[in-house]
Amino acid sequence: MSTDKPWVKNYPEGTPDQLEFDPKTLVTLLDDAESEYPESPAFANFGTSITTKEVEIKSKQFAAYLQKDLGLKKGDRIALMMPNLLQYPVVIFGALRAGLIVVNVNPLYTSRELKHQLKDSGAKVIMIFENSAHVLDAVFSELEIEHVIVTKIGDFLGFPKGLFMNIAVKYLKKMVPPYTFPRVIKFKDTLTRSTEDFKAIPISVNDIAFLQYTSGTTGFSKGAMLSHGNVTKNLDQFDSMLINILEDQQDIYMNALPIYHIYSLVVCVFAGYSRGALNVLITNPRDTSAFIEEMKKWPFTFFNGVNTLYESLLNHPEIKNVNFDSMKLSGCGGMATLKSTAERWYELTGKVLLEGYGLSETSPGVTVSPAYTEKFTGTVGLPIPNTEISIRDDDGHEVERGQPGEICIKGPQVMQGYWRNEEATAEVIGEDGFFKTGDIGTMDDEGFLSIVDRKKDMIIVSGFNVYPNEIEDVVCMHPDIVEAASIGVTDEKTGEAVKLFVVLGGEQKLTKEEIIDYCRQNLAAYKVPKQIEFMDELPKTNVGKILRRELRE
């Protein structure tokens, strides 16, 4: 195997080929930041901000409650299901301090999706946003959840100042569907203990910090085990690529990406906190008008998003009134960035849209476009320090430079494996330690990586991974549907959308609308098919495997 690393010569000035990592945990990172920047504003949301010191106090109070009142021990799992709110990072930090494993849950999930993740992780506790509580309620009797903590949008917010905020809270309360499960704990009640009640426990870099669920190659949701060391080392890797950009206590992250996603959690929340930066949390970035009004208020320095987010901003007439003078960097990931989007963003802001590449299984960072980049290249950048990338053919042999193959990754950021799933782990991590991503890419002579295809049939909708197997499994549970197959089709708004091919049984007369309604009941909104085509039969191989390739053609 080639040991050539052509990307090193293109690193920013001062970025080393290899880093020497301190053996620090995420708790060490929190302690260091709180000692160094106690008075720095750490997070802001809906006009309210909290300092690093306030975060420390509240997170330790929450940790003490988990330890003393709920009796949780090191290694127990806690599920968190909420949008970007001030209480989210506080709860994550508190759970980590108590030695718990955090299971981040997409608040858009349906009851079926939530049930699988809670069962698989074995979570004992869930903290859930009240607007999503009815989703848990529908399957609560089938779970072994011992404690439910419910949080409201206003739990940390500083109104009743101002008419607008009062109206907003009343409106959101009306949107809360009813729920009936017993033993509800109010989030505010978890912050009643003194910080003196919190007892620090030994945590090592090899202890699991997160179960970050991803569907992987099979379509069945699996928890990627990310250790404290995986994440802290990835943060150091990122920092080394931004060595001339980051400024302690000076940066403001406009954080519209969901914290439950590893991209936002690491690249914005932990990266910002570790340097005394401010994270402005956007709860609902799909409300583009309100999002832009928030952007106008802050001299933000970092902006991260996915292509669809940039498109929604660029298509809004008010975006031209946002001041981008302070912005040092804008990054894009999660899905392919369109050249037209990047060009429009550059015309508006004067900043290049920098692509990166990562996965839940890699904590997440693998490659970063250097900040010195002067124009959009269409590549996802250079491998970050201490990262090896091998482009391989179907037989596992490395291909010649410039030729396409499966991207395989080795580095300190690669997960420990999939939670309680040795078979799935062995399928993606070989004896040589390389993680097989399932993505097809090429590397040029300068070491820049490009994503050209996907080995697996994954569909990417607005940056969210959607797996055909899951959709087909759900659809085929309908008694009137005999077979189904799904593929990704181009969509101007979301990049890709799901198209479903359906074979009905006998004389059944299901309509497209009825199938879509059924999918809405069982799948998160971004997974619901936008197009449906009825067929008499699906194309198959001689052994009966559905040929999605022919459906795409």
Side-chain angles (χ1 to χ4, degrees):
M1 181 181 296
S2 171
T3 56
D4 182 31
K5 295 182 179 180
W7 53 84
V8 172
K9 63 184 178 184
N10 291 306
Y11 276 170
E13 185 177 350
T15 301
D17 172 17
Q18 293 288 312
L19 296 171
E20 294 292 332
F21 296 108
D22 292 330
K24 63 184 175 185
T25 68
L26 287 166
V27 175
T28 306
L29 179 150
L30 300 178
D31 290 340
D32 290 347
E34 289 151 3
S35 174
E36 187 76 15
Y37 318 110
E39 302 307 319
S40 293
F43 299 98
N45 181 236
F46 283 119
T48 298
S49 63
I50 53 176
T51 65
T52 302
K53 185 64 177 178
E54 290 173 309
V55 173
E56 177 187 7
I57 291 170
K58 292 180 187 298
S59 67
K60 286 182 177 178
Q61 287 175 320
F62 186 72
Y65 185 87
L66 297 175
Q67 292 175 327
K68 302 291 186 180
D69 293 75
L70 301 189
L72 298 177
K73 306 297 184 185
K74 180 179 178 180
D76 286 340
R77 276 76 65 204
I78 179 171
L80 307 179
M81 185 176 180
M82 67 192 99
N84 288 8
L85 297 168
L86 290 179
Q87 48 267 49
Y88 205 161
V90 166
V91 169
I92 289 177
F93 296 175
L96 293 174
R97 285 189 144 114
L100 304 192
I101 298 172
V102 173
V103 182
N104 288 306
V105 182
N106 186 339
L108 300 177
Y109 270 181
T110 64
S111 297
R112 183 193 64 84
E113 293 162 317
L114 175 61
K115 174 183 169 182
H116 167 76
Q117 194 160 326
L118 295 180
K119 275 184 169 288
D120 187 76
S121 66
K124 289 186 175 182
V125 184
I126 181 169
M127 176 161 158
I128 192 166
F129 184 43
E130 66 171 354
N131 297 57
S132 301
H134 67 289
V135 179
L136 174 63
D137 193 34
V139 291
F140 186 74
S141 62
E142 304 173 55
L143 299 169
E144 296 182 2
I145 293 288
E146 297 176 8
H147 308 284
V148 179
I149 305 169
V150 174
T151 189
K152 301 179 179 181
I153 195 167
D155 279 349
F156 269 4
L157 301 183
F159 33 92
K161 302 174 190 170
L163 179 63
F164 170 75
M165 285 302 179
N166 283 329
I167 293 172
V169 172
K170 288 178 182 178
Y171 173 70
L172 286 162
K173 282 182 179 295
K174 289 180 182 178
M175 294 172 59
V176 178
Y179 53 90
T180 60
F181 48 71
R183 304 187 304 277
V184 170
I185 302 166
K186 294 180 180 179
F187 171 64
K188 283 190 172 183
D189 292 341
T190 68
L191 304 180
T192 55
R193 280 192 170 273
S194 165
T195 56
E196 300 298 319
D197 293 330
F198 164 65
K199 301 302 178 187
I201 60 173
I203 297 172
S204 80
V205 292
N206 294 320
D207 286 332
I208 302 170
F210 298 100
L211 294 185
Q212 201 67 27
Y213 273 76
T214 176
S215 293
T217 56
T218 66
F220 296 103
S221 186
K222 299 182 291 294
M225 296 185 290
L226 304 182
S227 69
H228 283 257
N230 285 147
V231 178
T232 58
K233 289 172 183 176
N234 201 224
L235 284 164
D236 287 346
Q237 290 170 304
F238 274 124
D239 282 359
S240 71
M241 294 294 285
L242 299 172
I243 196 166
N244 301 314
I245 303 296
L246 297 168
E247 297 178 88
D248 289 2
Q249 291 184 285
Q250 300 300 312
D251 289 316
I252 298 176
Y253 292 73
M254 186 58 60
N255 192 353
L257 296 172
I259 295 175
Y260 67 79
H261 196 285
I262 194 68
Y263 181 12
S264 170
L265 180 60
V266 174
V267 175
C268 298
V269 172
F270 279 114
Y273 198 76
S274 69
R275 289 184 171 272
L278 171 65
N279 262 259
V280 179
L281 304 180
I282 305 301
T283 303
N284 182 17
R286 287 177 291 182
D287 185 347
T288 310
S289 296
F291 182 15
I292 290 174
E293 288 306 307
E294 194 68 17
M295 292 172 69
K296 291 178 182 178
K297 300 174 185 176
W298 301 95
F300 55 89
T301 57
F302 289 98
F303 191 99
N304 288 287
V306 296
N307 194 87
T308 48
L309 179 68
Y310 284 107
E311 275 293 309
S312 68
L313 293 172
L314 289 166
N315 291 333
H316 197 287
E318 270 301 302
I319 193 65
K320 66 181 183 295
N321 294 319
V322 175
N323 188 336
F324 290 95
D325 290 348
S326 60
M327 188 173 73
K328 296 189 288 190
L329 184 150
S330 53
C332 197
M335 62 185 294
T337 303
L338 299 178
K339 184 179 180 181
S340 58
T341 305
E343 289 175 345
R344 292 172 66 200
W345 186 255
Y346 183 81
E347 183 179 349
L348 172 71
T349 69
K351 297 294 182 181
V352 178
L353 203 48
L354 301 173
E355 283 194 273
Y357 173 63
L359 307 98
S360 296
E361 291 94 337
T362 58
S363 307
V366 176
T367 66
V368 173
S369 291
Y372 63 69
T373 303
E374 294 182 350
K375 65 178 182 178
F376 179 73
T377 64
T379 78
V380 292
L382 304 167
I384 54 184
N386 299 71
T387 301
E388 297 179 56
I389 289 187
S390 177
I391 311 293
R392 300 177 178 180
D393 61 23
D394 289 340
D395 296 322
H397 301 128
E398 197 162 85
V399 302
E400 294 184 10
R401 181 80 68 218
Q403 294 301 306
E406 182 174 10
I407 301 168
C408 301
I409 302 161
K410 188 176 184 180
Q413 71 270 51
V414 173
M415 66 173 180
Q416 292 187 350
Y418 292 120
W419 175 254
R420 294 177 175 172
N421 199 332
E422 293 182 4
E423 183 178 349
T425 301
E427 288 177 3
V428 297
I429 300 180
E431 293 182 1
D432 59 0
F434 275 86
F435 167 65
K436 304 170 188 176
T437 66
D439 292 320
I440 305 299
T442 61
M443 181 172 284
D444 65 21
D445 291 335
E446 297 298 308
F448 286 86
L449 184 70
S450 297
I451 311 298
V452 298
D453 202 354
R454 289 190 293 275
K455 187 173 183 179
K456 49 202 176 191
D457 292 314
M458 184 173 69
I459 305 162
I460 299 184
V461 179
S462 296
F464 292 105
N465 293 353
V466 179
Y467 294 85
N469 286 357
E470 181 187 11
I471 296 170
E472 293 155 11
D473 287 345
V474 168
V475 170
C476 287
M477 287 191 290
H478 194 291
D480 297 339
I481 295 174
V482 176
E483 286 186 313
S486 53
I487 63 170
V489 294
T490 302
D491 185 277
E492 287 186 3
K493 185 177 180 181
T494 58
E496 283 187 302
V498 177
K499 180 174 182 178
L500 182 69
F501 297 85
V502 175
V503 177
L504 298 179
E507 301 298 318
Q508 302 302 328
K509 300 294 183 183
L510 272 181
T511 66
K512 294 180 181 180
E513 291 73 22
E514 287 171 332
I515 294 173
I516 289 174
D517 285 343
Y518 173 77
C519 289
R520 285 196 182 112
Q521 295 170 28
N522 292 281
L523 295 165
Y526 60 89
K527 300 178 186 177
V528 174
K530 276 196 173 181
Q531 300 179 28
I532 293 180
E533 183 174 330
F534 293 103
M535 301 185 75
D536 293 330
E537 61 179 352
L538 298 176
K540 299 186 180 81
T541 65
N542 292 335
V543 295
K545 183 178 180 180
I546 295 172
L547 291 168
R548 292 196 185 101
R549 182 184 69 254
E550 288 193 16
L551 294 173
R552 282 191 285 267
E553 292 170 355

